[in-house]
Amino acid sequence: MFKVKTFNQISVKGLERFPRAEYEVGSDINHPEGILLRSHKLHNEVLPESVLCVARAGAGVNNIPLEDYTKRGIVVFNTPGANANAVKELVLAGLLLGSRGVLTGIEYVQSLTHLKDAAEMGKLLEAEKKRFAGKELYGSTLGVVGLGAIGSMVAEMALALGMKVVGYDPALSVEAAWRLPSRVERMENLQSLLSRADYVTLHVPALEATTGLINHDTLKSIKPGARLLNFARDAIVDSTSVVESLNADQGLGMYICDFPEPQLLERKDVIAMPHIGASTAEAEENCAIMAADQLMEFLQNGNIKNSVNFPAVNMPRAEGCCRITFSNDNVSGVLGNVLSIFTDNNVNVVDMMNKSRGDVAYNILDVEAMPNDTIIDQLRQVEHVINVRVLAEA
C-alpha cells in the first residue's frame, strides 16, 4: 500500500481518486512515498527518506525547494492548465475593469445615501455618468506575454471579443504552438510587444529568468496609457518600477494585478485583487484531480507527466514484466554500467526508456523477472545513481 501525506485542504474530488485498497492518504501520515499539497511551504520541512514525489495542486512551485529535491531524486509535479479557465475569466474581468469606469461608478453610487428620492437620484446620475465613461475592448490590441495553457486561452478569448492579439514567448513549446490561434501575431521581443499593446497581460512562470521581467528598463517601451495585467506571479513585476511608470506623463495608464503590495494601495490607477486567480471550486477540483492522478501514475508505473524538475517519461508496462526505474546525474556511462549488471546476472531487459533534463536523467526498464536484492543493491552502488525503485508486475 502506498502512503500519501497531504498539506493544506485538498479538494475531496482529488482525494477520492486514490483507491482505498491501495492508498493511505491523510495529513498525519508517517513515512509517505508521496506528498500532495497546495501552498504549504516545504523549504523548512524535513522530508522522510521515504518520499519519492511531491505534487503541487496548482501551477507555481516556489513553495518547494526544487534544487534540493532534484538532488535527492524526488520528482516534483505541478498541474499546468488545471486552473487556466479560472484565471482566464479573471483576466477578462480585469480587462473590463481597466477599460470602463465600473469600480469608480459603483463607489460613486454608494456615496449617494443622502438622496431619498429615486427620480432625483436618476437625474443626478444621468448628469454625472460621463465621469465614468471608458472605452470598448473591441478593436484594441492585447499583448500576451507567455503563450502556454493560460496565455493561449486568454488570446483566444480576446480574439472572440474582437481584439487584436500580439504575443511573445521565447520558450514556446511545440504543444503550445499548436494550441495558439493562428491570428495571434508573434512578437520577436518583449519591447516590441509593449510598444504595440493597449493592454498587456502576463502569463509566465516565476523563474530566475522571469523575475523582474517588467522593470524600469522594459517599461520604457510601454505604450503610453497602456493597462498592465498581472495574474501570474508577483515576482515577475517590479512594483516600484510600475509606480514610477504610473506617475510618469508617458507611462502606464493602469496596473491590474492579483498581488497587492502596500505601495499599490489607495491609487485610482491600480486595481489589486487578493490573489483569487485560481480561487474557484472548479479550479481547485481540477488541480487536485490532476495532481492525484500524476502521483498515482508515478508511484504505480514510474511514469512522469508535468514534472517541473524531471523529464517527461511515459512507457506502457510490458505484460508480465517487472519494472525498474532509476534516476541519476546526467553524465555519460551510467546507463551502460546499469545494463552491464543486468547482463552479468542474466537479467533480460524487454523494453527501456531513458530521458534527461538539465543535470538529472531518468530511466525505466522492464525486465522479464524480478531481480533479487543483491542485483538491486549493485544498481544502487553504481556511481552517479541517485535512487532505484522496483515496481512489481502490473
Side-chain angles (χ1 to χ4, degrees), residues 279-300:
S279 295
T280 67
E282 295 87 349
E284 291 181 8
E285 290 173 0
N286 292 340
C287 288
I289 290 170
M290 184 183 291
D293 288 351
Q294 290 167 178
L295 275 182
M296 288 190 290
E297 182 61 26
F298 176 73
L299 291 173
Q300 294 172 207

Side-chain angles (χ1 to χ4, degrees), residues 45 84 118 121 137 144 148 150 159 163 179 258 306 322 332 370:
E45 295 280 349
M121 181 179 290
L137 297 175
V144 183
I150 298 174
L159 290 170
M163 300 182 78
R179 286 197 304 261
D258 211 13
N306 292 329
C322 169
S332 61
M370 174 82 75

